[in-house]
Amino acid sequence: MTIDPVIVASRLDAVRDRIRAAGSDPDEITICAVTKGFGPDAVRAAVDAGLYDIGENYAQELASKADDLAGAVDGVRWHMIGGLQRNKVRRLAPLVSCWQSVDRVKLGDEIARRAPGARVLVQVAAVDHDGEVLEPGKSGADPQVVPELVGHLRTLELDVAGLMSVGPTDATLDPRPGFDLVTTLADTLDLPVRSMGMSRDLEAAVACGSTMVRLGTALFGPRPRGATASARPDV
Ligand SMILES: *Cc1c(COP(=O)(O)O)cnc(C)c1O
């Protein structure tokens, strides 16, 4: 299956309309094109449409696409957005522009060691109205430990730019309390980037103050069979 850049461009127009309808200015929101499950042609189509921020969930998939496109496509900024094991950091260090899934001290330490000065976001777990973590066991730090984690990362040679969150996988759960808490925490901690919102919950995220949405299916259509839809630890 190849990706048609013309279709991606028209889907991008539809995404911009959705951002506008949700009450924000599409020029103020970074769109990270999530190409997991698709081939390098999806990255080319995104770049053709003017999207240079490319998100991948799995270390191996990011590395092989980056290798495929090296020398052919310029200016891609790779975002690691999936659960990440420390032993993958070294391989990714020369490739990744933004590490979005930092949810624990040891992972931050390893990124600081392998990629000094790297841009990182702290991934915050989705929570309910009472601040309780909705889906324990998923990636993302409990909001209660986020200030301390941000403080620690700031002592390292890292560019701590913001927070990231993935809404609950269970579509019956409301993502908004978690998104609101991300905005509150980011304001308190003076962090400009709030990476939240995927194809299904873009409107909620934008209404809650997102500055970056991460979109796969809304840009590229359904992922090919066998590709996984949600973040899982990269094993
Ligand atoms: C897959 C994924 C996305 C994009 O999901 P879509 O529903 O295809 O828009 C965004 N963020 C993360 C962390 C993901 O795993």
Side-chain angles (χ1 to χ4, degrees):
M1 191 176 84
T2 55
I3 300 286
D4 181 346
V6 176
I7 296 178
V8 172
S10 77
R11 289 201 179 112
L12 176 58
D13 285 339
V15 162
R16 294 206 164 107
D17 287 342
R18 287 176 65 185
I19 293 173
R20 242 176 252 115
S24 193
D25 176 353
D27 293 335
E28 301 291 317
I29 297 200
T30 304
I31 295 171
C32 178
V34 178
T35 50
K36 70 170 176 220
F38 297 101
D41 53 322
V43 181
R44 289 175 190 272
V47 167
D48 279 354
L51 303 176
Y52 288 86
D53 292 285
I54 305 293
E56 283 286 342
N57 274 61
Y58 306 107
Q60 184 50 48
E61 200 178 336
L62 189 159
S64 69
K65 266 173 229 174
D67 286 348
D68 275 352
L69 294 166
V73 177
D74 281 339
V76 170
R77 292 181 291 268
W78 295 99
H79 294 247
M80 182 62 205
I81 63 172
L84 182 60
Q85 289 186 327
R86 270 189 297 163
N87 63 7
K88 302 284 166 59
V89 169
R90 190 162 92 144
R91 169 79 173 100
L92 291 179
L95 304 172
V96 169
S97 295
C98 180
W99 306 79
Q100 294 209 13
S101 52
V102 180
D103 61 358
R104 57 201 191 276
V105 164
K106 285 190 166 172
L107 179 58
D109 289 345
E110 182 66 4
I111 294 169
R113 192 156 86 94
R114 303 291 184 184
R119 168 167 286 226
V120 300
L121 307 182
V122 167
Q123 183 174 353
V124 185
V127 296
D128 65 14
H129 282 284
D130 301 320
E132 291 295 320
V133 174
L134 281 170
E135 295 174 326
K138 295 241 159 125
S139 302
D142 187 314
Q144 293 193 354
V145 307
V146 166
E148 199 184 326
L149 180 52
V150 167
H152 174 77
L153 298 172
R154 281 176 163 156
T155 68
L156 307 174
E157 248 185 288
L158 289 171
D159 169 18
V160 189
L163 303 179
M164 178 273 225
S165 193
V166 177
T169 308
D170 179 346
T172 66
L173 298 173
D174 185 358
R176 286 171 296 183
F179 291 157
D180 279 334
L181 185 54
V182 166
T183 297
T184 305
L185 277 169
D187 285 344
T188 311
L189 297 166
D190 203 15
L191 294 166
V193 178
R194 297 102 204 256
S195 169
M196 51 194 197
M198 307 181 11
S199 298
R200 64 164 185 273
D201 53 18
L202 176 162
E203 283 81 2
V206 166
C208 294
S210 172
T211 66
M212 180 189 288
V213 291
R214 305 174 312 270
L215 305 176
T217 53
L219 293 171
F220 305 115
R223 272 180 284 280
R225 261 169 58 92
T228 31
S230 65
R232 69 171 163 82
D234 183 8
V235 286

